[in-house]
Amino acid sequence: MKIYIAGHRGMVGGAILRRLQARQASGEDIELLTRTSAELDLTDQNAVREFMMTEQPDQVILAAAKVGGIVANNTYPAQFIYENLMMECNVIHQAFEAGVTRLLQLGSSCIYPRDAEQPMAESALLTGPLEPTNEPYAIAKIAGIKLCESYNRQYGTDYRSVMPTNLYGPGDNFHPENSHVLPALIRRFHAAAQDGTAQVTVWGSGKPMREFLHVDDMAEASLFVMGLDVGTYQRETELMLSHINVGSGVDVTIRELAETVARVTGFKGELVFDATKPDGAPRKLMDVSRLARLGWEAGISLEDGIRETYAWFLKQDEKTLRAK
């Protein structure tokens, strides 16, 4: 079986690649296709068409995306919606043209309304306004879901979508300005521990609750969903016209998260929470009951995952971390 992984150098795509390589090494009949962005520009329709027609993959995993934190989303909204729409349209359509019958598209929990009922079920999609700061990215990811649904309805393909919660792990973005909350905290607490800083200030009250999923769990879940037989998937996702949430099903307060990072990095000083800074949504938790019914649950605890991520962080040089 020939499998193309789009975005194999990203955090999630890389984790999926490692698992498929392990299966390959254990004797499974798998041929893996990868291309860097320099080798294949996924926003270029002709280039993607030529690649798909030439390579003829049996399955496609679409893990490529333009991603970033709140600052990046606010600064470059046009790039976020354009590049993600183009990648999804090109990969999904050209996969169809090349005869690919099974495809997995990875999205994001930001597809759900800003004020969605907690925990957020798949049925919450398109039931209310999105969070304004990442709306362009969210709309692109919703379009990806609807592309998969539409090709399934019209052409009988088997294109699936998984929506992960906040991801972290080896390969994460630790850039001092563009990273998400968990890698940002790891970097800050590490620096404070090394410098002997007396205190670290965390934005907000520390009360908001967030859910986190280790990227290795996400990779396992993605391949689990990809490997489900058509009948099982259809029964659980209403004739393949839906998507599946992927998360740990457990959330923690930002205070608890910061305390865990402090413990892992060896920071002994004081944690200060600046309540004058915005908290954001009070809670963001995914309803993962659908995936649980199908037979998959997360296996990596938050503290174990942070320890592994911190160990990976310590092995990287500054140039590598700033480039991610």
Side-chain angles (χ1 to χ4, degrees):
M1 179 186 297
K2 188 182 288 189
I3 303 174
Y4 168 50
I5 306 171
H8 74 286
R9 283 189 166 181
M11 180 171 65
V12 183
I16 292 173
L17 175 63
R18 291 192 297 273
R19 268 140 195 77
L20 287 174
Q21 286 173 332
R23 292 185 183 183
Q24 194 178 46
S26 68
E28 285 194 35
D29 183 17
I30 298 173
E31 179 182 349
L32 299 174
L33 294 174
T34 60
R35 294 291 187 276
T36 65
S37 57
E39 294 168 333
L40 176 60
D41 179 0
L42 296 180
T43 67
D44 183 331
Q45 185 182 65
N46 290 330
V48 177
R49 178 188 296 117
E50 181 178 353
F51 168 78
M52 291 289 186
M53 291 300 184
T54 300
E55 296 296 341
Q56 293 285 308
D58 299 300
Q59 296 186 0
V60 170
I61 298 175
L62 178 50
K66 181 175 179 61
V67 298
I70 187 171
V71 174
N73 273 273
N74 270 332
T75 307
Y76 309 110
Q79 288 173 248
F80 272 82
I81 192 167
Y82 171 78
E83 292 184 28
N84 283 296
L85 281 172
M86 290 299 290
M87 283 189 276
E88 292 164 356
C89 288
N90 289 339
V91 172
I92 293 170
H93 180 69
Q94 298 307 329
F96 165 72
E97 290 289 319
V100 175
T101 55
R102 184 168 296 186
L103 176 147
L104 184 73
Q105 186 238 170
L106 279 69
S108 166
S109 61
C110 73
I111 63 168
Y112 294 116
R114 178 188 58 215
D115 299 320
E117 182 178 346
Q118 303 293 316
M120 299 179 291
E122 288 88 349
S123 58
L125 184 65
L126 298 177
T127 59
L130 299 165
E131 165 58 42
T133 56
N134 58 16
E135 184 182 69
Y137 177 75
I139 288 174
K141 286 301 171 182
I142 292 170
I145 295 173
K146 294 304 176 181
L147 274 167
C148 290
E149 290 181 0
S150 298
Y151 278 75
N152 291 342
R153 289 175 59 190
Q154 185 168 344
Y155 300 116
T157 52
D158 185 1
Y159 294 175
R160 309 175 178 189
S161 296
V162 285
M163 299 297 119
T165 189
N166 300 301
L167 299 174
Y168 72 97
D172 208 340
N173 172 17
F174 289 86
H175 192 282
E177 297 174 1
N178 299 328
S179 57
H180 291 104
V181 59
L182 184 44
L185 288 175
I186 289 174
R187 186 179 188 118
R188 290 178 59 204
F189 278 103
H190 167 74
Q194 296 301 303
D195 297 341
T197 304
Q199 65 179 35
V200 170
T201 301
V202 179
W203 273 30
S205 67
K207 296 178 181 178
M209 302 190 72
R210 295 291 183 267
E211 176 187 19
F212 297 91
L213 183 71
H214 194 282
V215 68
D216 287 345
D217 271 341
M218 181 61 199
E220 290 290 353
S222 297
L223 295 176
F224 174 83
V225 171
M226 188 73 157
L228 289 170
D229 67 83
V230 176
T232 300
Y233 188 79
Q234 285 182 336
R235 285 193 298 274
E236 190 55 53
T237 57
E238 301 170 6
L239 297 180
M240 297 173 62
L241 299 182
S242 192
H243 55 283
I244 295 180
N245 288 343
V246 183
S248 63
V250 177
D251 55 359
V252 296
T253 66
I254 295 299
R255 176 181 288 276
E256 291 170 327
L257 178 68
E259 290 171 345
T260 302
V261 173
R263 186 165 56 250
V264 168
T265 58
F267 175 70
K268 305 297 184 183
E270 180 186 8
L271 274 66
V272 177
F273 291 86
D274 184 357
T276 67
K277 302 297 184 182
D279 270 341
R283 193 182 193 198
K284 286 187 68 177
L285 177 66
M286 301 279 268
D287 180 345
V288 293
S289 58
R290 172 173 283 177
L291 187 56
R293 286 195 298 271
L294 287 166
W296 188 91
E297 294 181 351
I300 301 173
S301 72
L302 182 59
E303 183 156 345
D304 287 345
I306 291 175
R307 289 190 183 280
E308 180 187 352
T309 304
Y310 184 52
W312 180 89
F313 171 87
L314 293 175
K315 295 178 182 177
Q316 311 309 304
D317 58 33
E318 183 66 17
K319 182 179 179 181
T320 300
L321 292 171
R322 291 187 70 89
K324 286 188 172 295

